[in-house]
């Protein structure tokens, strides 16, 4: 029909169009004229136009009202050519589709709409063709040539739409997923061919899977650096939600691990992080940090996935913190306590023993086993504290030791992955502008409990927490606290006795120092310390830490502590060091009532904080008067038999708790010679044997004795029953005498 295409002029004009999916247009179909009459009927004077709403589907051009000219859809494979009509006296704004046996004319309302239809139809036709060609590849050199042509077509198309670049990527992605036996060189050639499309587009899921495989199998390939780097940079800068596209996160994770496998290792990763931040002091891309953190968290979680999946009944973080063994290794859940012990001695023990399933009472005249099931532990505890206004202040001194029974050993690959991504978190914490957001993202402690029980992980992560503690900005260091009440924060995890503490409280002290220096609610913060971390504070003050000495002085000055025994123990702790004595004297000048309290004598109850040593006990007992001390708890401390020489100097001592210490036979013999008035003794989980236990026969005042989980023999037990007439309550579970 003499139509002349004018595509070059359209491309030169630089017009951009949105890809059409549907629209209204006038349609006319002209069949090839074979007779003179048919030529007259198809002339422009007798031509009939029909309005249609056409849809550009994936395979064909179809009408919403399939009648008349468009009764049947027109397949893209049947369209031989698409042209713009430009002959003289031709209809305005008209397109010509050449089909077998005729022509389809499409008339638009204006030239822009006509050109939009023209480019959209061309694109749909070509994409349909490439889908057919690449669905059944025969020779890969031909396939590679077709892919390059397809990519070039997408880059030069005047259409401006996300699908223009995504469609070729989807085609290549499907091609790769259906052909997994390609050679390494073919892999790289395809990646290089589609690289231009990836500069401004995210790869689809299947393509991400292909990229991940390439990163794992050929981490040192130049394709990783030259092609994947801009792709990953774009993902980190523009991705809004990894939850909707998890394979993008996995690809980013594998890419970073591939960088770590290069000769320079972490130096390459560090340069990549620097490139993502930018050269200025403030990163211009707000999505980079949360995306990097999401990748790090997912990678770290994957390192412990084997441990997480292998445990149906894995212990909670609280159980890990309390030194709980795995269910398959530990003894049946029984409370390590006497049935009716003195409330002063057992208040700490009952707090740590949540599940009370069974208890054993052994009388001096007969053995009586009682099965007790109770869920009313809390009221009993409250009632047992007598008139003390703050029953938990003594209990909070008891911080059970950090987990020592869980063994976390990662495989070589998981260990390398963990090292890489913890190092990235450390790098992120070095940027001042990123630190507030990083602290906020890590405040909920988004790590599995297996990671928090892994010494290597907590040691490495300590650098990040230290950076938070050193930052003077409140929005940073306030994130060291728990995100909500009842949930541990970094402040608790790295405190003495916490699951992550391995430095005797140095990091904990620095965190308290910065928090106290800027806390706008000082009394509220002191109250939280008194309720939860009084034990660690007293232990560090006993060792001369100035910050903790100041904390204890403030607790006394603000009347945070109402319990007299606890106040007296704090005073004794302060007087055990030079700095504490000096600050306490200054405090007494302002608080006369403290002097009056001290004149009344020493405390009647004393609980040494967890992790305390023989030296700590000696320093404390030498600092003041303890002539009134009746109840002493050393449970879960690191004391040994060497402390016995200090214990025998306590004339009023009636109750002694040595649960889970290293106190042995030598110390027990010394106690039996001097503390003949002792009434309650707890030796649960101590290394004592018959040699030391036999010496207890001289302590005629003993009425309650706990030898649970010791090396007690049946003969020694019978001998003790015969020689201790006042003995009414005994716990001999998990011994030979049980």
């Amino acid at each position: 029909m003499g139509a002349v295409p004018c595509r070059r002029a359209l491309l030169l004009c630089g017009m951009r169009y949105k890809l059409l999916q549907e629209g209204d247009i006038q349609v006319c179909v002209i069949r090839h004229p074979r007779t003179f009459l048919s030529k007259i009927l198809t002339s422009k004077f007798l031509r009939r136009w029909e309005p249609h709403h056409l849809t550009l589907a994936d395979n064909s051009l179809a009408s919403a009202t399939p009648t008349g000219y468009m009764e049947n859809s027109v397949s893209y494979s049947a369209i031989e050519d698409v042209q713009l009509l430009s002959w003289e006296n031709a209809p305005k704004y008209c397109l010509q589709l050449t089909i077998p046996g005729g022509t389809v004319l499409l008339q638009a309302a204006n030239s822009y709409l006509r050109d939009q239809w023209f480019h959209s139809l061309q694109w749909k036709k070509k994409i349909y063709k490439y889908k057919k060609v690449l669905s059944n590849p025969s020779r890969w050199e031909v396939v590679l040539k077709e892919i390059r042509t397809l990519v070039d077509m997408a880059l030069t198309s005047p259409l401006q739409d996300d699908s223009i670049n995504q469609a070729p990527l989807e085609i290549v992605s499907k091609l790769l997923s259906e052909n997994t036996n390609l050679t390494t060189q073919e892999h790289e050639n395809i990646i290089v061919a589609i690289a231009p499309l990836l500069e401004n587009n995210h790869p689809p899921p299947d393509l991400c899977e292909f990229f991940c495989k390439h990163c794992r199998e050929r981490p040192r390939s130049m394709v990783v650096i030259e092609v994947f780097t801009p792709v990953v940079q774009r993902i980190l800068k523009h991705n809004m939600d990894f939850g909707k596209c998890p394979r993008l996160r996995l690809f980013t994770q594998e890419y970073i691990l591939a960088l770590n496998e290069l000769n320079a290792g972490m130096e390459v990763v560090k340069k990549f992080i620097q490139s993502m931040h930018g050269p200025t002091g403030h990163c211009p891309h707000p999505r980079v940090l949360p995306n990097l953190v999401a990748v790090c968290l997912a990678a770290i979680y994957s390192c412990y996935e084997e441990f997480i999946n292998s445990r149906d009944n894995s212990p909670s973080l609280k159980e890990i913190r309390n030194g709980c063994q795995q269910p398959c290794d530990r003894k049946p859940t029984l409370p390590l306590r006497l049935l009716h012990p003195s409330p002063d001695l057992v208040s700490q023990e009952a707090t740590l023993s949540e599940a009370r399933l069974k208890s054993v009472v052994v009388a001096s005249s007969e053995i009586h086993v009682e099965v007790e099931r109770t869920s009313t532990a809390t009221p009993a505890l409250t009632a047992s504290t007598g008139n003390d206004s703050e029953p938990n202040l003594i209990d909070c001194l008891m911080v059970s030791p950090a987990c020592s029974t869980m063994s976390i050993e990662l495989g070589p690959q998981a260990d390398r992955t963990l090292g890489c991504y913890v190092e990235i978190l450390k790098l992120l914490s070095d940027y001042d502008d990123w630190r507030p957001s990083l602290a906020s993202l890590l405040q909920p402690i988004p790590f599995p409990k297996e990671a928090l029980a892994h010494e290597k992980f907590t040691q490495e992560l300590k650098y990040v927490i230290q950076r938070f503690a050193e930052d003077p900005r409140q929005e940073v260091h306030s994130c060291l606290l728990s995100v909500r009440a009842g949930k541990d924060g970094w402040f608790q995890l790295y405190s003495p006795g916490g699951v992550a503490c391995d430095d005797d409280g140095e990091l904990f002290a620095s965190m308290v120092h910065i928090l106290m220096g800027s806390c706008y609610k000082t009394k509220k913060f002191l109250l939280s310390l008194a309720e939860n971390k009084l034990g660690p504070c007293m232990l560090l003050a006993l060792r001369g830490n100035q910050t903790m000495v100041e904390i204890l002085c403030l607790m006394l000055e603000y009347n945070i502590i109402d319990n007299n025994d606890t106040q007296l123990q704090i005073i004794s702790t302060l007087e055990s060091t030079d700095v504490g004595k000096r600050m306490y004297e200054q405090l007494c000048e302002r608080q006369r009532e403290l002097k009056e309290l001290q004149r009344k004598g020493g405390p009647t109850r004393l609980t040494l904080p967890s992790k305390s040593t023989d030296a700590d006990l000696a320093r404390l007992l030498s600092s003041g008067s303890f002539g009134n001390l009746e109840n002493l708890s050393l449970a879960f401390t690191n004391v040994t038999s060497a402390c016995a020489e200090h214990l025998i100097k306590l004339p009023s001592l009636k109750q002694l708790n040595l649960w889970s210490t290293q106190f042995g036979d030598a110390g027990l013999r010394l106690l039996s010679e001097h503390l003949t008035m002792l009434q309650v003794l707890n030796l649960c989980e101590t290394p004592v044997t018959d040699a030391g236990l036999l010496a207890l026969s001289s302590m005629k005042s003993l009425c309650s004795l706990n030898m649970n989980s010791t090396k007690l023999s049946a003969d020694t037990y019978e001998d003790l029953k015969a020689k201790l007439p006042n003995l009414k309550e005994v716990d001999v579970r998990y011994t030979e005498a049980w």
Side-chain angles (χ1 to χ4, degrees):
M1 295 181 64
V4 178
C6 54
R7 301 175 193 176
R8 184 181 300 274
L10 287 171
L11 290 175
L12 290 176
C13 72
M15 294 289 289
R16 306 295 290 177
Y17 308 93
K18 182 174 177 60
L19 178 66
L20 277 176
Q21 300 296 338
E22 58 182 336
D24 295 321
I25 198 166
Q26 298 287 325
V27 180
C28 178
V29 177
I30 303 173
R31 302 298 174 185
H32 289 168
R34 299 183 180 277
T35 63
F36 180 74
L37 179 60
S38 63
K39 288 181 181 181
I40 294 175
L41 293 175
T42 56
S43 65
K44 62 179 180 180
F45 302 106
L46 299 176
R47 195 173 297 150
R48 179 172 59 87
W49 293 88
E50 294 177 356
H52 282 275
H53 184 83
L54 299 185
T55 301
L56 283 76
D58 292 337
N59 303 322
S60 61
L61 182 67
S63 173
T65 53
T67 56
Y69 292 140
M70 295 302 297
E71 183 177 359
N72 299 315
S73 60
V74 180
S75 173
Y76 295 135
S77 59
I79 300 177
E80 298 172 357
D81 194 13
V82 181
Q83 294 180 329
L84 297 172
L85 294 184
S86 59
W87 70 79
E88 188 177 356
N89 296 326
K92 276 190 173 183
Y93 318 129
C94 195
L95 292 178
Q96 172 186 320
L97 311 183
T98 303
I99 59 175
T103 299
V104 178
L105 299 180
L106 303 178
Q107 188 172 12
N110 52 61
S111 60
Y112 181 85
L113 190 59
R114 174 202 62 190
D115 295 342
Q116 189 177 14
W117 275 95
F118 170 73
H119 292 295
S120 297
L121 280 167
Q122 274 197 324
W123 173 257
K124 288 285 188 178
K125 181 178 182 301
K126 290 179 180 179
I127 283 296
Y128 177 77
K129 168 199 164 187
Y130 281 109
K131 283 182 179 179
K132 298 288 288 183
V133 170
L134 297 178
S135 61
N136 297 304
S138 54
R139 296 169 53 197
W140 280 101
E141 57 271 19
V142 176
V143 170
L144 185 61
K145 182 179 178 182
E146 293 290 345
I147 290 175
R148 288 171 179 159
T149 306
L150 175 62
V151 170
D152 183 65
M153 180 188 75
L155 294 175
T156 57
S157 173
L159 293 172
Q160 193 171 20
D161 194 271
D162 292 340
S163 62
I164 298 303
N165 290 324
Q166 283 296 325
L169 292 176
E170 295 285 352
I171 293 174
V172 175
S173 177
K174 183 179 179 182
L175 172 69
L176 294 173
S177 65
E178 294 175 352
N179 298 272
T180 57
N181 57 345
L182 300 180
T183 65
T184 302
Q185 190 59 47
E186 289 169 342
H187 275 195
E188 294 194 356
N189 290 339
I190 292 175
I191 292 173
V192 171
I194 63 175
L197 291 179
L198 297 172
E199 292 179 5
N200 297 309
N201 300 274
H202 290 338
D206 289 339
L207 204 55
C208 284
E209 194 74 31
F210 174 71
F211 289 170
C212 289
K213 180 180 178 183
H214 191 83
C215 288
R216 286 191 294 265
E217 295 178 353
R218 298 203 64 197
R220 296 174 180 267
S221 168
M222 290 307 296
V223 168
V224 173
I225 299 292
E226 296 177 356
V227 178
F228 290 167
T229 298
V231 180
V232 174
Q233 287 177 333
R234 186 180 189 280
I235 291 173
L236 292 175
K237 290 177 181 178
H238 301 290
N239 178 67
M240 297 303 292
D241 185 3
F242 276 134
K244 295 180 179 178
C245 39
R247 293 192 186 180
L248 287 180
R249 189 203 65 225
L250 184 61
F251 168 48
T252 306
Q253 178 180 326
E254 294 291 346
Y255 165 79
I256 294 175
L257 289 176
L259 294 185
N260 193 41
E261 292 293 327
L262 299 177
N263 292 334
M266 282 307 303
E267 285 300 317
V268 180
V269 176
K270 184 176 181 179
K271 290 181 180 178
F272 174 74
I273 299 297
Q274 290 174 344
S275 70
M276 295 309 305
H277 180 274
T280 62
H282 185 78
C283 179
H285 305 287
R287 292 300 309 167
V288 168
L289 178 65
N291 283 337
L292 278 173
V293 172
V295 172
C296 291
L297 295 181
I300 292 171
Y301 188 91
S302 69
C303 295
Y304 300 94
E305 199 165 6
E306 180 181 352
F307 294 91
I308 296 169
N309 294 336
S310 64
R311 295 194 187 106
D312 294 332
N313 297 314
S314 58
S316 66
L317 182 56
K318 182 177 181 180
E319 290 174 318
I320 293 174
R321 185 176 65 249
N322 289 343
C324 169
Q325 296 180 6
Q326 291 308 307
C328 58
D329 298 331
R330 62 191 182 201
K331 301 170 183 177
T333 307
L334 296 175
L336 305 179
R337 67 179 185 89
L338 302 175
L339 184 62
H340 301 294
S342 168
D344 290 339
L345 180 65
V346 85
S347 59
Q348 313 93 322
E349 304 172 15
T351 302
L352 296 173
S353 230
E354 292 183 356
R356 304 183 176 190
L357 299 179
K358 184 177 181 182
S359 60
V360 180
V361 179
V362 185
S364 58
S365 57
E366 63 176 348
I367 298 178
H368 174 66
V369 180
E370 177 184 350
V371 178
E372 177 190 45
R373 296 183 181 272
T374 175
S375 60
T376 59
T378 303
L381 278 177
T382 305
S384 70
T385 56
N387 296 325
D388 294 334
S389 57
E390 295 189 12
N392 291 328
L393 286 176
I394 292 295
D395 298 341
C396 74
L397 297 178
M398 296 303 303
V399 181
S400 51
C403 173
S404 58
T405 57
M406 285 195 67
S407 178
I408 303 291
E409 292 184 7
L410 302 180
Q413 181 58 39
D415 193 63
R416 286 195 296 272
T417 300
L418 179 68
C420 174
Y421 282 98
V422 174
E423 193 66 29
I424 290 177
L425 289 176
K426 293 161 71 173
L427 291 173
L428 298 179
S429 69
D430 286 334
Y431 289 94
D432 290 340
D433 60 316
W434 275 351
R435 202 174 299 128
S437 297
L438 179 63
S440 178
L441 291 169
L442 297 186
Q443 185 178 13
I445 313 183
F447 300 103
K449 55 178 175 283
E450 285 79 5
L452 298 175
H454 188 198
E455 185 177 0
K456 178 180 178 180
F457 173 75
T458 53
Q459 281 181 344
E460 293 294 325
L461 194 67
K462 186 189 296 184
Y463 177 87
V464 179
I465 308 305
Q466 185 71 51
R467 296 293 283 160
F468 295 161
E470 294 171 350
D471 197 300
R473 292 171 291 182
Q474 186 175 352
E475 64 267 28
V476 178
H477 59 246
S478 63
C479 292
L480 297 170
L481 300 171
S482 56
V483 70
R484 64 178 182 272
K487 178 177 173 60
D488 283 348
W490 297 113
F491 178 69
Q492 284 84 10
L493 291 182
Y494 280 94
S495 64
V499 67
C501 182
D502 61 353
D503 59 359
D504 292 330
E506 293 180 10
L507 179 58
F508 173 72
S510 65
M511 287 192 282
V512 172
H513 178 75
I514 189 68
L515 289 167
M516 280 299 299
S518 64
C519 189
Y520 63 96
K521 291 183 178 178
T522 305
K523 190 169 183 179
K524 182 179 179 181
F525 182 62
L526 288 173
L527 278 169
S528 70
L529 285 178
E531 291 173 0
N532 303 307
K533 293 300 171 185
L534 183 58
C537 291
M538 291 178 66
L539 177 60
L540 294 174
L542 192 61
R543 295 175 179 176
N545 184 279
Q546 185 168 348
T547 299
M548 295 306 165
V549 170
E550 293 175 0
I551 293 290
L552 296 184
C553 287
L554 286 172
M555 287 182 180
L556 294 176
E557 186 172 4
Y558 290 167
N559 293 320
I560 299 295
I561 309 297
D562 293 335
N563 186 286
N564 287 346
D565 282 328
T566 307
Q567 286 184 354
L568 290 169
Q569 182 172 347
I570 290 176
I571 292 171
S572 300
T573 302
L574 292 173
E575 291 189 330
S576 64
T577 61
D578 293 338
V579 61
K581 189 179 298 183
R582 184 178 66 255
M583 296 185 68
Y584 177 64
E585 289 175 355
Q586 295 172 357
L587 175 61
C588 285
E589 292 178 2
R590 304 189 300 269
Q591 301 274 348
R592 291 184 179 180
E593 58 270 20
L594 289 176
K595 291 182 179 180
E596 295 296 326
L597 177 66
Q598 198 170 8
R599 287 196 189 102
K600 295 177 182 178
T604 58
R605 290 192 306 166
L606 184 64
T607 302
L608 209 65
S610 173
K611 301 289 187 180
S612 298
T613 62
D614 293 331
D616 296 325
L617 177 63
R619 192 181 303 114
L620 179 64
L621 294 180
S622 64
S623 64
S625 173
F626 291 93
N628 296 331
L629 187 62
E630 297 179 356
N631 184 328
L632 175 62
S633 176
L634 303 177
F636 298 107
T637 62
N638 296 330
V639 298
T640 65
S641 294
C643 74
E645 61 184 66
H646 303 288
L647 299 179
I648 61 177
K649 298 176 183 179
L650 302 172
S652 303
L653 193 62
K654 296 179 180 179
Q655 300 176 2
L656 179 60
N657 187 349
L658 294 168
W659 183 11
S660 191
T661 64
Q662 293 302 309
F663 197 89
D665 293 336
L668 208 54
R669 283 192 289 266
L670 190 58
L671 293 183
S672 65
E673 294 174 6
H674 295 82
L675 298 181
T676 56
M677 302 303 293
L678 201 64
Q679 297 176 4
V680 179
L681 179 61
N682 189 340
L683 298 172
C684 177
E685 295 184 357
T686 58
V688 295
T689 65
D690 287 345
L693 292 169
L694 281 171
L696 297 178
S697 59
S698 63
M699 305 176 76
K700 304 300 182 181
S701 298
L702 273 179
C703 59
S704 179
L705 180 61
N706 189 335
M707 296 177 287
N708 185 317
S709 303
T710 63
K711 296 180 180 179
L712 172 71
S713 67
D715 293 339
T716 299
Y717 171 60
E718 293 297 330
D719 187 65
L720 288 175
K721 282 198 300 180
K723 294 181 179 179
L724 297 176
N726 294 320
L727 194 61
K728 294 182 173 59
E729 297 173 351
V730 182
D731 189 343
V732 294
R733 287 169 297 165
Y734 309 119
T735 66
E736 185 181 322
W738 187 26

